[in-house]
Amino acid sequence: MAYLTSLSFSSVEGEHAILAIGRADGQIALWSLFDEEPRFEAQQPSPVACLAWKPIVTSRLSERESPGSNLARTEELLVGDESGNIYYYSVEWSDARERAKTSWHGSMSLLARISVHTQQICGLAWSTDGALFATGGNDNVCCLFEVADILGPRRNIDDSLQNVVGEEEFIGDDGVRRHRIIPGRGRTRAIEAGREKYRWSHGAAVKAIAFCPWQKSLVASGGGSNDRCIHFYHTTSGACLATINVAAQVTSLLWSTSRREIAATFGYAQPDHPYRIAVFSWPDCRQVVAIPWLGEMRALYAIAYPGGPNQTNAKASRGEGGTWTSRTAEEGCIVVAGSDESVKFHEVWSESKRGTPSGKGLLGGSDILEGLEGIENDSAETIR
């Protein structure tokens, strides 16, 4: 069996705990922690490079029995491949009671194939409200998409077109329901270059992308070895708000959920420096935390973890200005995969209180952009 290339869990809101597993031979398996074996498998034309589930559920017409007769809560999955294509799936997942009653296991439907990149897809990210998603490629481009545009009413599509994509479903010898992607057949939307909302060029491949959880019109992206920067963009206008030169590959980005800060992890540094994790304040882009690693280890990827090694012992305590609580207990830590095949838990969110300098707002100090978003200039550091 081919080696794993990507893993991603479905939304917390959906409560299905579906693990999407991508492999180098193009196979995707969907496996819930509540099931004893994978429920769906899909065979992609190219090796799977990355996966990303939509962070919220979506109501769509159910595929059960008479398709289109009832609304169902569905999960949506983006699959990026080595050839530069992104596949947009809708997954309807039946629970144990429904399976026992109807013997129906759900559905995995291909809604769109997006072909705007020319090389491998390196990064995928969703906005917290699920209205936007961004893609990063080895072609040094980051693209922003609106879901409403990608999945809205079809325009200029004719039955005779040959650039659409289809799929077929079959039951394997082991009883697992599988899907095959069939280019040139079906009614799945084929999204070509030019349909992206914005296209942002970088100096290297784009792997790290993160939408701000407390300002929906703010997104950050990080470039590879020849870029070595964190870029901040306004999703409404496409404007670049700020750039931070970090002198290293940016391998992941994670926004704080309670402060105006963003954490970054780094791969190869140029010029060489020992720091593999850093935290920057926004919007003044000031480094407030830097964590060195010994030797030549690189931070390959990081995810947020809603806990930490001291979480159970983190209790509120009295201090200057009132009651203090641990930030790790409040928003967790980050889990970092290292090039030495280790996984490290880092408490990166500092306890110190740092005010945001006055004169700069959430969108880099642009009164025009902040006015369009209805943002009042507020120098408070904590997100309320």
Side-chain angles (χ1 to χ4, degrees):
M1 184 173 288
Y3 61 84
L4 297 178
T5 58
S6 185
L7 300 170
S8 181
F9 269 109
S10 60
S11 70
V12 174
E13 181 183 355
E15 298 182 335
H16 292 302
I18 308 168
L19 178 63
I21 305 166
R23 295 185 179 274
D25 60 359
Q27 185 186 85
I28 304 167
L30 302 186
W31 193 347
S32 172
L33 298 185
F34 305 116
D35 294 345
E36 295 182 355
E37 59 184 14
R39 190 180 300 188
F40 296 117
E41 290 185 355
Q43 184 62 49
Q44 304 293 121
S46 298
V48 176
C50 50
L51 304 164
W53 288 95
K54 192 175 183 178
I56 62 172
V57 298
T58 303
S59 292
R60 295 198 181 281
L61 293 176
S62 175
E63 297 291 334
R64 183 167 66 89
E65 296 178 355
S66 302
S69 59
N70 296 296
L71 283 177
R73 286 162 54 89
T74 65
E75 305 270 8
E76 296 185 351
L77 174 68
L78 294 176
V79 179
D81 71 14
E82 295 277 357
S83 299
N85 295 309
I86 299 130
Y87 294 88
Y88 193 125
Y89 284 97
S90 175
V91 177
E92 191 174 348
W93 201 265
S94 59
D95 58 25
R97 184 176 63 178
E98 186 175 10
R99 292 199 305 276
K101 181 179 179 181
T102 66
S103 298
W104 189 72
H105 293 269
S107 65
M108 182 179 180
S109 304
L110 180 63
L111 302 182
R113 183 192 67 186
I114 304 167
S115 303
V116 301
H117 291 275
T118 59
Q119 296 184 39
Q120 175 192 17
I121 304 301
C122 304
L124 296 168
W126 288 90
S127 62
T128 54
D129 62 0
L132 302 170
F133 64 88
T135 63
N138 200 43
D139 54 2
N140 305 351
V141 170
C142 179
C143 293
L144 181 71
F145 296 88
E146 290 182 310
V147 173
D149 178 62
I150 297 299
L151 301 182
R154 292 180 173 90
R155 299 189 298 270
N156 301 323
I157 293 211
D158 185 84
D159 288 336
S160 63
L161 291 180
Q162 295 301 310
N163 67 336
V164 294
V165 182
E167 63 171 346
E168 70 175 3
E169 180 179 300
F170 66 99
I171 305 297
D173 295 336
D174 54 1
V176 176
R177 185 173 302 186
R178 293 183 168 88
H179 292 249
R180 291 191 187 99
I181 305 300
I182 309 173
R185 195 178 98 188
R187 293 289 297 162
T188 301
R189 293 168 174 82
I191 308 300
E192 305 295 337
R195 288 289 299 278
E196 66 273 15
K197 181 178 182 181
Y198 294 114
R199 171 180 289 253
W200 298 306
S201 295
H202 293 60
V206 182
K207 177 182 178 182
I209 310 171
F211 285 86
C212 181
W214 34 263
Q215 179 53 50
K216 64 181 182 180
S217 59
L218 178 61
V219 64
S221 63
S225 294
N226 291 328
D227 187 272
R228 303 186 299 279
C229 292
I230 303 172
H231 308 269
F232 299 87
Y233 296 100
H234 183 227
T235 61
T236 305
S237 67
C240 182
L241 303 175
T243 298
I244 304 173
N245 188 333
V246 295
Q249 283 178 316
V250 183
T251 55
S252 56
L253 293 167
L254 301 99
W255 287 95
S256 166
T257 58
S258 65
R259 306 273 182 104
R260 295 179 184 175
E261 296 173 348
I262 187 169
T265 61
F266 307 130
Y268 290 108
Q270 184 183 356
D272 189 44
H273 62 74
Y275 303 105
R276 295 297 176 263
I277 305 172
V279 177
F280 300 90
S281 59
W282 177 260
D284 54 323
C285 300
R286 181 169 54 92
Q287 180 181 293
V288 294
V289 172
I291 301 175
W293 282 8
L294 298 177
E296 298 181 355
M297 288 187 298
R298 292 168 288 121
L300 303 180
Y301 189 66
I303 61 171
Y305 176 70
N310 301 316
Q311 182 182 20
T312 56
N313 297 322
K315 299 180 180 179
S317 60
R318 293 290 300 178
E320 183 180 355
T323 302
W324 294 355
T325 57
S326 165
R327 282 194 67 188
T328 298
E330 182 180 2
E331 61 179 308
C333 63
I334 68 172
V335 184
V336 186
S339 58
D340 61 346
E341 302 181 0
S342 69
V343 174
K344 299 175 175 63
F345 290 72
H346 281 276
E347 296 178 291
V348 299
W349 308 118
S350 171
E351 297 290 347
S352 62
K353 297 180 179 293
R354 298 176 300 276
T356 301
S358 60
K360 275 194 173 184
L362 293 180
L363 296 178
S366 170
D367 292 338
I368 295 176
L369 296 181
E370 290 169 10
L372 290 173
E373 299 291 338
I375 298 172
E376 296 182 2
N377 195 328
D378 181 7
S379 61
E381 165 210 4
T382 304
I383 307 303
R384 302 187 185 278

